[in-house]
């Protein structure tokens, strides 16, 4: 064998080796990306597990791109009778969209931010219009994008460890993912209060506020899921019966009144104003410690975000979910760039 032929063989071998290494990296990358969300068929259900516990299951675009088509497939599958979504790790259902990653990526590539918000809102709409019963186990931190993955579904199960908030006015955004739809539909002006102040609801208060449809003690959550999966060709009513039974048996904070109950009349009065200036004036004129506390909170928020949010909720109160999400997509792009 001549020297030239030998070098040719060495080059081919190295080329093959490089190609093989690249393919291995691609396979690993795909596996890692897919592992951020687990999509499994169990019993009668399709089960979605948000699987980024180190990041409190923050939602990114690759997760959305896995969930959306599978949700649509399960919706059409005659053997899938319900869809369950939950978070891994015990600390969070989903702490929100991965805004830091989106913001950093958006500085370099505007299309990434466009894609994220558009595809996230498409998923929110798909959940809201899903023809199969959709059960969100909102155990742990549930904020922003996590609310969008749960609140539009038919059933939302809170536990004593649930923590709900829409904190966007503090970071220069607005309570999106359909916040303009569900927040003004909470009782009285509660949704306006939650949106503008970012007030956090914990445990049974998440149920009392109307964010969750059921409350279950966290130690029973695994059993609840097992009982749902064991149902045979269940109807929506069968699923509701199981959830109702667990809800009725829950004991934690059973007799506790809603944390904002004593303030609801004032909240309804203060936040019925159509301008931010009037809301602030209402709080100042009241002068109670609770009013002054909310005034202090609002003063730390982005003034632009506060104005956008108030208008968003007023407009959203008479729109469909799809119309609200279209409006919010346009707002998201205006806020990002």
């Amino acid at each position: 064998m001549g020297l030239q032929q030998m070098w040719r063989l060495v080059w081919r071998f190295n080329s093959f080796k490089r190609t093989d290494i690249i393919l291995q990296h691609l396979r690993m990358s795909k596996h890692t990306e897919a592992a951020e969300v687990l999509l499994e068929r169990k019993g009668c259900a399709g089960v979605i597990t948000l699987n980024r516990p180190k990041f409190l299951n923050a939602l990114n675009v690759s997760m959305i791109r896995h969930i959306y088509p599978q949700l649509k497939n399960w919706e059409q599958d005659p053997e899938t009778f319900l869809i369950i979504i939950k978070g891994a790790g015990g600390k969070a259902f989903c702490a929100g969209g991965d805004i830091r990653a989106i913001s950093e990526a958006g500085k370099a590539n505007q299309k990434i931010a466009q894609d994220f918000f558009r595809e996230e809102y498409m998923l929110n709409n798909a959940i809201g219009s899903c023809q199969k019963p959709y059960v969100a186990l909102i155990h742990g931190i549930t904020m922003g994008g996590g609310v969008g993955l749960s609140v539009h579904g038919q059933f939302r199960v809170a536990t004593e460890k649930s923590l709900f908030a829409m904190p966007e006015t503090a970071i220069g955004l607005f309570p999106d993912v359909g916040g303009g739809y569900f927040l003004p539909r909470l009782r009285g002006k509660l949704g306006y209060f939650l949106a503008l102040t970012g007030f956090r609801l914990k445990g049974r208060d998440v149920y009392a506020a109307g964010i969750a449809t059921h409350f279950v003690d966290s130690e029973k959550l695994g059993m609840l899921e097992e009982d749902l999966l064991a149902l045979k060709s269940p109807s929506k009513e069968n699923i509701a019966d199981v959830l109702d039974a667990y809800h009725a048996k829950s004991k934690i904070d059973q007799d506790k009144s809603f944390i904002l109950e004593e303030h609801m009349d004032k909240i309804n009065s203060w936040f019925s104003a159509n301008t931010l200036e009037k809301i602030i004036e209402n709080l100042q004129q009241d002068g109670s410690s609770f009013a002054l506390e909310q005034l202090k909170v609002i003063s730390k928020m982005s003034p632009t975000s506060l104005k956008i949010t108030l208008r968003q909720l007023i407009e959203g109160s008479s729109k469909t979910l799809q119309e609200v999400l279209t409006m919010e997509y346009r707002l998201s792009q205006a806020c990002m760039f």
Side-chain angles (χ1 to χ4, degrees):
M1 181 186 293
L3 189 62
Q4 192 173 3
Q5 286 178 304
M6 188 180 75
W7 279 115
R8 192 178 288 124
L9 282 171
V10 170
W11 182 86
R12 283 181 181 172
F13 175 76
N14 287 337
S15 179
F16 173 79
K17 198 173 178 182
R18 281 195 301 272
T19 304
D20 189 53
I21 289 168
I22 289 166
L23 287 171
Q24 282 182 39
H25 278 295
L26 285 171
R27 281 193 291 268
M28 288 170 65
S29 172
K30 188 176 181 183
H31 175 75
T32 302
E33 186 178 283
E36 291 178 338
V37 58
L38 307 177
L39 304 164
E40 302 168 283
R41 185 72 169 68
K42 294 183 178 180
C44 65
V47 181
I48 303 165
T49 305
L50 308 173
N51 195 36
R52 299 181 74 206
K54 289 182 180 178
F55 301 96
L56 300 177
N57 298 320
L59 188 66
N60 61 33
V61 74
S62 71
M63 294 165 75
I64 294 166
R65 287 172 179 172
H66 281 89
I67 295 169
Y68 181 85
Q70 188 61 70
L71 180 68
K72 288 295 185 181
N73 288 341
W74 281 333
E75 189 177 14
Q76 299 300 319
D77 177 18
E79 298 301 312
T80 302
F81 292 88
L82 77 149
I83 295 161
I84 297 172
I85 185 167
K86 60 183 181 176
K91 287 186 178 179
F93 168 69
C94 173
D98 198 341
I99 294 298
R100 180 179 294 178
I102 297 305
S103 179
E104 289 173 359
K107 291 171 186 175
N109 181 356
Q110 183 171 330
K111 192 173 186 299
I112 291 174
Q114 291 175 344
D115 290 347
F116 175 80
F117 286 106
R118 185 182 68 253
E119 294 178 41
E120 182 183 26
Y121 298 171
M122 285 173 63
L123 177 56
N124 300 151
N125 188 62
I127 291 166
S129 61
C130 186
Q131 297 303 301
K132 297 285 174 75
Y134 183 95
V135 181
L137 306 179
I138 52 174
H139 173 67
I141 300 167
T142 305
M143 296 185 183
V147 177
L149 291 177
S150 55
V151 77
H152 305 300
Q154 198 164 9
F155 302 110
R156 291 92 63 191
V157 182
T159 73
E160 75 279 5
K161 294 182 180 178
S162 295
L163 172 62
F164 165 91
M166 296 297 281
E168 288 82 1
T169 53
I171 58 172
L173 286 173
F174 57 92
D176 63 338
V177 296
Y181 180 80
F182 81 86
L183 286 165
R185 286 166 174 79
L186 297 179
R187 59 175 166 138
K189 294 295 178 179
L190 176 60
Y192 290 77
F193 170 78
L194 295 174
L196 293 169
T197 65
F199 188 89
R200 297 182 172 197
L201 295 172
K202 299 175 183 178
R204 198 176 278 268
D205 288 331
V206 178
Y207 165 74
I211 304 299
T213 58
H214 295 81
F215 180 89
V216 173
D217 298 347
S218 63
E219 64 178 21
K220 304 287 188 185
L221 208 56
M223 291 171 59
L224 168 63
E225 185 179 347
E226 286 176 14
D227 284 352
L228 288 172
L229 295 176
L231 291 169
K232 304 298 181 186
S233 306
S235 65
K236 179 181 74 175
E237 289 73 26
N238 297 146
I239 294 161
D241 286 345
V242 172
L243 293 169
D244 290 346
Y246 272 85
H247 175 81
K249 292 174 187 173
S250 66
K251 302 297 181 188
I252 296 173
D253 294 332
Q254 195 173 25
D255 301 319
K256 180 187 170 188
S257 61
F258 180 44
I259 191 170
L260 294 170
E261 196 62 57
E262 64 179 301
H263 303 295
M264 278 309 301
D265 287 343
K266 286 191 171 184
I267 286 172
N268 292 340
S269 175
W270 298 333
F271 289 86
S272 62
N274 289 327
T275 67
L276 187 64
E277 289 83 358
K278 182 59 179 172
I279 290 172
I280 289 171
E281 185 183 317
N282 289 341
L283 292 168
Q284 289 171 333
Q285 286 180 352
D286 182 279
S288 66
S289 60
F290 183 74
L292 295 176
E293 188 181 335
Q294 304 320 309
L295 197 60
K296 186 177 178 181
V297 169
I298 286 174
S299 71
K300 294 177 181 177
M301 302 301 185
S302 159
T304 304
S305 289
L306 290 168
K307 289 218 165 196
I308 289 172
T309 297
L310 180 58
R311 178 69 181 274
Q312 171 205 2
L313 268 59
I314 292 170
E315 294 286 329
S317 65
S318 60
K319 292 182 184 293
T320 65
L321 174 59
Q322 191 169 354
E323 288 170 341
V324 165
L325 289 166
T326 301
M327 172 181 73
E328 290 179 357
Y329 175 71
R330 292 167 181 160
L331 285 172
S332 74
Q333 298 310 292
C335 286
M336 288 296 289
F337 307 108

